[in-house]
Amino acid sequence: MKRIAVVLALGCLVCPAIAPAKLPSTKRTSIVPGHSIAGVALGMSQHAVFALWGHASCSSAVCVWRGPGNPSYAENARVGFHNGKVLNISINAGTTGISGKYKPGMLSTWKDRFGIHLGSFEGVAEGKYRHARGFRPNPSEGVMGFDVTVGRITTRFSSFGIGPSRDLLRYIEIYCVPTPSGGGCP
């Protein structure tokens, strides 16, 4: 019994080191399509991202900052890197559980110049971007919502598509598709 207690105590000391990082605490909360989310921009170094958002749990060149609660339903922010530079940035809304119902959180306060944020109605967001250069609806079953693509850079606004929050934005992502040789991104 004493051995089990020692193992559990050691496990509790190790767990915080491998747990995902908490959500970014940042003064900048603006979303700039084609460029940045809360100050993190395409092409930025990992060191610069950590200076803005704090350190995160990273695996396979993707770093994740997660909100409180069950990791399967918690809101999160992700940054993907290629050759040490930001290649994609995304924020994802939390849900109340398996129902898939949208749960407002800290990331829902991050907005673009039109006031569009996680939890905004997809139709309202689409109305603001419908005339933007590179606008394209995305009505597939896999990705509901729309994209705004200019060159190799896409900003994706995606809704839940199903369930009680089907018409609300679930995630916003900015990403660059590099050329086959790996270039073409900031």
Side-chain angles (χ1 to χ4, degrees), residues 35-181:
H35 185 261
S36 64
I37 296 178
V40 171
L42 294 175
M44 194 178 257
S45 72
Q46 186 171 1
H47 177 76
V49 171
F50 286 172
L52 277 174
W53 283 11
H55 286 274
S57 173
C58 303
S59 176
S60 300
V62 176
C63 299
V64 180
W65 292 259
R66 194 177 313 280
N70 182 325
S72 298
Y73 310 118
E75 63 181 338
N76 66 75
R78 297 174 184 265
V79 178
F81 298 90
H82 179 70
N83 293 330
K85 302 290 184 188
V86 174
L87 194 63
N88 70 307
I89 314 149
S90 67
I91 55 174
N92 302 276
T95 62
T96 58
I98 60 172
S99 71
K101 185 175 180 192
Y102 166 74
K103 180 180 176 185
M106 186 187 86
L107 299 180
S108 301
T109 65
W110 297 7
K111 300 176 182 180
D112 72 358
R113 66 188 174 113
F114 299 119
I116 303 301
H117 57 86
L118 296 176
S120 288
F121 281 100
E122 177 191 341
V124 171
E126 188 172 329
K128 297 291 184 185
Y129 286 97
R130 183 179 314 277
H131 301 293
R133 189 173 118 213
F135 172 83
R136 184 186 72 213
N138 218 344
S140 71
E141 284 186 33
V143 179
M144 300 298 291
F146 63 95
D147 296 343
V148 177
T149 303
V150 178
R152 296 190 166 278
I153 300 173
T154 297
T155 302
R156 175 165 285 168
F157 296 84
S158 184
S159 66
F160 284 83
I162 59 170
S165 302
R166 70 173 184 243
D167 298 323
L168 303 182
L169 291 181
R170 180 176 192 154
Y171 74 85
I172 299 171
E173 178 180 26
I174 301 171
Y175 64 92
C176 182
V177 178
T179 62
S181 62

